[in-house]
């Protein structure tokens, strides 16, 4: 097996930087999904900078990047319109002892973009706002239980969710016991859950869509169930926001939740998230009501002017340039190319592209068509060797047709090696070391 076939990529500076990261930062990264355990042995690039759809590592290698910023950088890195908006506000001051007029403008812009919401409050990350939604639902209903869609991977770093994952160490069982799960797309099972815990469930929280479209009538059925059982319906639109439509999945499918949460694409990499929803619920966290106050959200940096300016620039760019439609077109081109490449190499049943065109992921399946971390390792190793950094195939607006074509060529080369591994019945010789690992696992 020669060097080209083995997928060798020399990253000495990245390896040194990873060691420095682990020496000072638990896990070597500030997000588990960015950890070097998610990449093949000694092939975890440490990024120097990015522009558009490309990033460069500290070793000087350039990559076409997918899933930028864990899906947050949907316009591409250093987007001129966003950079200019941020720079303008930085020169005017970023945080004050009283609200800035930018907060007024950002709220007006958001509510115009997501007209199904009546009020909005900004924060810095998704966990802030999903937990605020849960707290608000509990306060409004007087109920303690939270029902999450168990088929969706992540909602919050807070105990009410993390306690349900394999990373539950440090979370009291009493807290975890208050969270129950329902399956996506199954209204009967959800109704059974709500009946079993009658008058105990404060809210249903889910991503309105993921790698599959909602079954016909499903979201409307959830709306009816929530109304009938007196619980709050919460849509986690961290990913669907902007990628499905500027107004999120609720704008596309026409089903209005009581509360919804946005983030990721909202700031194109800048830290900003939003809790939005019905006025009568949101006002429980305000000053203009007669009931007990709810500690909804109070963050020192939640209204940084430059992050809110970035959000407004993102929303304007999406509306004026038809970004959502372009994301879909790019994703469709990429998905078709990857599927053709996999079929051409005889691995169409093993390298599988899934999801909405604007939010593509891939599955790597073994000879029995089961998900395989060793085969994922082989595949990622070949992509990296070809200059493609792709933990997913989630596209950004900055990708060019040439970028897509290059990616498909590299995928075809990876699929050729994949075929050899399947024929050998063992991917180990092509992995280059230990397999990549799932994010949520109990042991190191």
């Amino acid at each position: 097996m020669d060097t080209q076939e083995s997928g060798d990529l020399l990253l000495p500076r990245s390896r040194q930087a990873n060691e420095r990261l682990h020496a000072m930062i638990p896990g070597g990264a500030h997000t588990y999904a960015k950890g070097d355990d998610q990449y093949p042995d000694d092939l975890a690039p440490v990024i120097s900078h990015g522009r558009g759809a490309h990033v460069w590592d500290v070793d000087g290698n350039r990559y076409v990047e997918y899933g930028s910023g864990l899906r947050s950088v949907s316009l591409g890195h250093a987007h001129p319109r966003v950079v200019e908006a941020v720079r303008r506000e930085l020169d005017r001051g970023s945080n004050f002892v009283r609200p800035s007029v930018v907060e007024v403008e950002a709220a007006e812009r958001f509510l115009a973009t997501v007209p199904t919401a009546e009020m909005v409050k900004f924060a810095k990350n998704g966990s802030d706002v999903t937990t605020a939604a849960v707290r608000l639902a509990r306060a409004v209903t007087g109920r303690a239980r939270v029902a999450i869609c168990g088929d969706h991977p992540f909602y919050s770093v807070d105990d009410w969710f993390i306690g349900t994952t394999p990373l539950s160490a440090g979370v009291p069982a009493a807290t975890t016991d208050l969270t129950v799960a329902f399956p996506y797309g199954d209204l009967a099972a959800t109704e059974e859950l709500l009946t079993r815990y009658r008058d105990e469930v404060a809210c249903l929280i889910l991503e309105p869509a993921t790698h599959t479209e909602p079954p016909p009538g499903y979201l409307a059925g959830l709306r009816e169930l929530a109304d009938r059982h007196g619980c709050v319906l919460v849509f986690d639109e961290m990913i669907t926001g902007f990628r499905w439509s500027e107004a999120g999945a609720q704008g596309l499918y026409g089903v209005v939740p009581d509360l919804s949460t946005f983030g990721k694409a909202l700031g194109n990499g800048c830290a900003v998230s939003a809790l939005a929803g019905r006025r009568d619920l949101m006002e429980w966290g305000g000053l203009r009501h007669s009931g007990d106050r709810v500690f909804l959200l109070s963050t020192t940096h939640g209204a940084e002017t430059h992050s809110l300016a970035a959000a407004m620039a993102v929303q304007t760019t999406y509306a004026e340039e038809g970004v959502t439609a372009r994301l879909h077109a790019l994703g469709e081109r990429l998905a078709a190319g990857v599927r053709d490449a996999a079929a051409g190499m005889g691995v169409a049943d093993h390298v599988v592209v899934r999801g909405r065109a604007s939010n593509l992921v891939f599955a790597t399946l073994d000879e029995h068509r089961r998900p395989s971390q060793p085969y994922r390792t082989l595949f990622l190793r070949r992509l990296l060797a070809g200059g493609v950094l792709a933990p997913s195939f989630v596209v950004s607006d900055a990708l060019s047709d040439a970028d897509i074509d290059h990616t498909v060529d590299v995928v075809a080369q990876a699929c050729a090696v994949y075929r050899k591994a399947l024929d050998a019945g063992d991917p180990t010789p092509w992995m280059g070391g230990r397999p990549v690992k799932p994010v949520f696992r109990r042991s190191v």
Side-chain angles (χ1 to χ4, degrees):
M1 185 163 51
D2 61 24
T3 300
Q4 180 64 29
E5 183 174 293
S6 71
D8 284 347
L9 180 67
L10 300 178
L11 299 176
R13 292 180 179 175
S14 288
R15 285 199 289 271
Q16 292 170 7
N18 276 312
E19 286 302 312
R20 291 165 60 196
L21 286 164
H22 278 282
M24 297 178 287
I25 299 167
H30 286 93
T31 312
Y32 284 118
K34 295 184 182 183
D36 57 5
D37 59 339
Q38 304 299 294
Y39 292 85
D41 230 0
D42 290 330
L43 286 186
V46 173
I47 304 304
S48 164
H49 62 286
R51 185 163 296 278
H54 299 125
V55 295
W56 286 258
D57 65 27
V58 293
D59 293 281
N61 300 297
R62 186 182 80 158
Y63 306 87
V64 180
E65 186 198 39
Y66 293 89
S68 313
L70 305 181
R71 294 180 172 87
S72 67
V73 186
S74 60
L75 298 179
H77 299 291
H79 188 275
R81 204 165 187 169
V82 177
V83 169
E84 176 54 33
V86 168
R87 182 179 292 118
R88 183 172 59 249
E89 291 305 324
L90 284 174
D91 286 342
R92 293 161 52 87
S94 61
N95 212 335
F96 310 102
V97 76
R98 279 280 295 147
S100 162
V101 68
V102 175
E103 296 176 49
V104 179
E105 296 165 351
E108 288 174 343
R109 187 72 184 85
F110 181 90
L111 294 174
T113 302
V114 186
T116 43
E118 296 174 325
M119 297 189 83
V120 62
K121 194 155 188 179
F122 296 110
K124 300 312 290 180
N125 59 65
S127 295
D128 291 341
V129 290
T130 53
T131 291
V134 167
R135 185 185 302 116
L136 182 57
R138 283 170 161 166
V140 168
T141 62
R143 302 172 179 180
R145 289 195 189 275
V146 176
I148 65 173
C149 180
D151 296 320
H152 298 163
F154 190 81
Y155 296 99
S156 174
V157 300
D158 293 303
D159 287 0
W160 64 269
F161 171 69
I162 291 299
T164 69
T165 75
L167 287 169
S168 60
V171 180
T175 299
T176 303
D177 290 344
L178 292 175
T179 300
V180 294
F182 61 92
Y184 187 77
D186 191 335
L187 289 173
T190 306
E191 182 162 26
E192 190 279 328
L193 181 80
L194 291 171
T195 301
R196 188 190 328 153
Y197 296 108
R198 186 179 299 278
D199 298 332
E200 294 182 32
V201 176
C203 64
L204 300 172
I205 182 168
L206 73 158
E207 295 181 61
T210 54
H211 307 319
T212 58
E213 287 292 293
Y218 173 62
L219 296 179
L222 278 182
R223 174 70 278 171
E224 190 276 330
L225 279 177
D227 290 340
R228 183 149 47 90
H229 287 269
C231 55
V232 175
L233 181 61
V234 183
F235 282 177
D236 178 342
E237 298 248 31
M238 291 297 148
I239 294 173
T240 52
F242 298 94
R243 286 192 178 274
W244 264 242
S245 81
E246 289 87 345
Q250 59 194 281
L252 180 65
Y253 300 123
V255 175
V256 182
D258 299 305
L259 300 171
S260 56
T261 59
F262 288 75
K264 291 193 183 288
L266 181 58
N268 200 53
C270 292
V272 58
S273 61
L275 170 65
R278 286 169 34 193
R279 179 177 300 277
D280 61 318
L281 298 186
M282 295 286 286
E283 276 287 17
W284 278 63
L287 299 176
R288 298 186 174 184
H289 67 95
S290 58
D292 291 341
R293 292 185 66 190
V294 175
F295 192 90
L296 186 57
L297 278 165
S298 183
T299 53
T300 298
H301 301 292
E304 281 178 337
T305 57
H306 51 279
S307 292
L308 294 182
M312 287 189 282
V314 167
Q315 291 165 87
T316 300
T317 302
Y318 264 79
E320 293 183 358
E321 299 182 12
V323 172
T324 301
R326 177 166 160 75
L327 292 175
H328 279 77
L330 287 166
E332 287 170 355
R333 179 186 176 101
L334 176 62
V338 170
R339 288 173 180 140
D340 286 347
M345 295 299 171
V347 296
D349 292 332
H350 304 276
V351 176
V352 181
V353 180
R354 296 172 176 164
R356 193 172 181 85
S358 60
N359 189 52
L360 296 172
V361 297
F362 58 82
T364 51
L365 311 181
D366 64 15
E367 57 272 19
H368 305 293
R369 300 181 187 176
R370 298 174 303 201
S372 169
Q373 295 298 103
Y375 276 98
R376 179 175 174 85
T377 308
L378 174 157
F379 192 64
L380 288 175
R381 190 173 188 87
R382 290 304 313 164
L383 294 185
L384 287 163
V388 176
L389 180 57
S392 69
F393 281 145
V394 176
V395 297
S396 76
D397 184 58
L399 286 162
S400 67
D401 288 345
D403 292 327
I404 300 290
D405 292 343
H406 173 71
T407 301
V408 171
D409 288 343
V410 173
V411 167
Q413 296 168 30
C415 287
V417 177
Y418 207 113
R419 183 69 260 171
K420 292 181 181 181
L422 287 170
D423 292 341
D426 181 11
T428 304
W430 291 273
M431 286 167 48
R434 53 106 182 116
V436 299
K437 299 180 180 181
V439 170
F440 286 108
R441 60 185 192 276
R442 190 169 296 278
S443 61
V444 175

